[in-house]
């Protein structure tokens, strides 16, 4: 396969961002609970399948971070939406609060580790992953507190909104071939240093 490969990151960011905003309108108590069924369908196909596909395409571009993040959170949305649906049918009727707390806790740790990596990517991604880490932490605590659960909803709206902004800025800047919306890229100098170091090592080896 030859030729230029399109950037799949905006698709992944939009899929994650829009789904996160929709779900957290319900978590924050802003919308009616009837929104949840629509969000679950949205989570399966856009937040889940589309974001998972974006992760697969990121492998093609050679973006390890993007591939890992989009594939993981795409699978997360598929698993969460599927779980909630089967739970409502009564199949998992006896799941306890501690089970969801552990679930959110594991994702909080995973997201926190990815957040560390974003400190060498862009300020926009730092915002996305730091608020997402906080969201998972609040959802964990929110299993035992209605108030904290609602606070998590507002944090989730900010998180999803920041992902949407990052996706929109990427599409706009790449399509119009200029920086109209800043992302706060902070990786260029470090990557250049890494490339120079790798080149030096290669020369030494040869």
């Amino acid at each position: 396969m030859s030729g230029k490969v399109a950037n799949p990151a905006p698709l992944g960011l939009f899929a994650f961002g829009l789904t996160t905003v929709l779900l957290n309108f319900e978590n924050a108590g802003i919308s009616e609970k009837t929104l949840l069924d629509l969000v679950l369908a949205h989570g399966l196909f856009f937040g889940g399948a589309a974001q998972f596909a974006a992760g697969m395409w990121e492998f093609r571009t050679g973006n390890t971070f993007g591939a890992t993040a989009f594939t993981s959170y795409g699978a997360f949305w598929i698993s969460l939406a599927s779980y909630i649906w089967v739970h409502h049918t009564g199949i998992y009727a006896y799941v306890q609060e501690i089970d969801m707390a552990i679930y959110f806790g594991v994702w909080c740790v995973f997201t926190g580790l990815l957040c560390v990596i974003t400190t060498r990517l862009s300020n926009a991604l730092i915002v996305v992953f730091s608020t997402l880490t906080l969201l998972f932490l609040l959802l964990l605590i929110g299993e035992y507190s209605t108030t904290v659960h609602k606070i998590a909803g507002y944090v989730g709206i900010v998180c999803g909104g920041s992902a949407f902004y990052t996706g929109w800025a990427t599409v706009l800047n790449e399509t119009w071939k200029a920086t109209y919306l800043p992302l706060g890229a902070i990786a260029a100098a470090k990557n250049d240093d890494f490339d120079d170091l790798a080149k030096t090592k290669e020369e030494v080896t040869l």
Side-chain angles (χ1 to χ4, degrees):
M1 181 177 180
S2 60
K4 183 178 180 180
V5 178
N7 183 0
L11 171 61
L13 288 163
F14 282 136
F16 171 82
L18 289 176
T19 310
T20 301
V21 168
L22 285 174
L23 176 61
N24 283 286
F25 269 115
E26 199 278 331
N27 285 340
I30 298 173
S31 67
E32 297 295 332
K33 290 188 177 296
T34 50
L35 177 66
L36 183 60
D37 289 335
L38 177 59
V39 172
L40 294 179
H42 192 274
L44 277 174
F45 292 97
F46 194 45
Q51 188 177 182
F52 189 90
M56 294 293 101
W57 289 320
E58 285 284 24
F59 279 108
R60 174 67 179 82
T61 67
N63 184 352
T64 303
F65 179 85
T68 302
F70 290 138
T71 304
S72 297
Y73 293 112
F76 164 80
W77 274 113
I78 293 172
S79 70
L80 181 63
S82 300
Y83 161 75
I84 294 176
W85 257 334
V86 297
H87 178 67
H88 285 175
T89 66
I91 297 176
Y92 295 142
Y94 300 103
V95 172
Q96 300 180 11
E97 292 173 340
I98 185 64
D99 300 322
M100 289 304 296
I102 292 173
Y103 179 75
F104 289 131
V106 169
W107 278 98
C108 179
V109 173
F110 173 73
T111 304
L113 294 175
L114 290 184
C115 186
V116 173
I117 300 174
T118 64
T119 59
R120 293 204 174 190
L121 297 177
S122 73
N123 291 325
L125 287 177
I126 290 175
V127 173
V128 173
F129 280 85
S130 59
T131 54
L132 182 56
T133 302
L134 178 59
L135 172 59
F136 279 126
L137 178 61
L138 292 175
L139 287 173
L140 185 163
I141 301 172
E143 286 296 308
Y144 306 96
S145 170
T146 302
T147 301
V148 175
H149 185 79
K150 287 186 176 181
I151 294 173
Y154 287 102
V155 172
I157 292 172
V158 173
C159 176
S162 65
F164 184 91
Y165 169 84
T166 305
W168 169 240
T170 303
V171 170
L172 180 68
N173 295 344
E174 288 192 10
T175 303
W176 287 0
K177 302 186 186 308
T179 301
Y180 291 93
L181 292 176
L183 292 170
I186 55 181
K190 295 182 178 63
N191 284 342
D192 289 342
D193 292 341
F194 179 81
D195 291 340
D196 291 341
L197 177 60
K199 183 177 180 181
T200 300
K201 288 183 176 180
E202 182 179 357
E203 291 173 350
V204 171
T205 302
L206 291 175

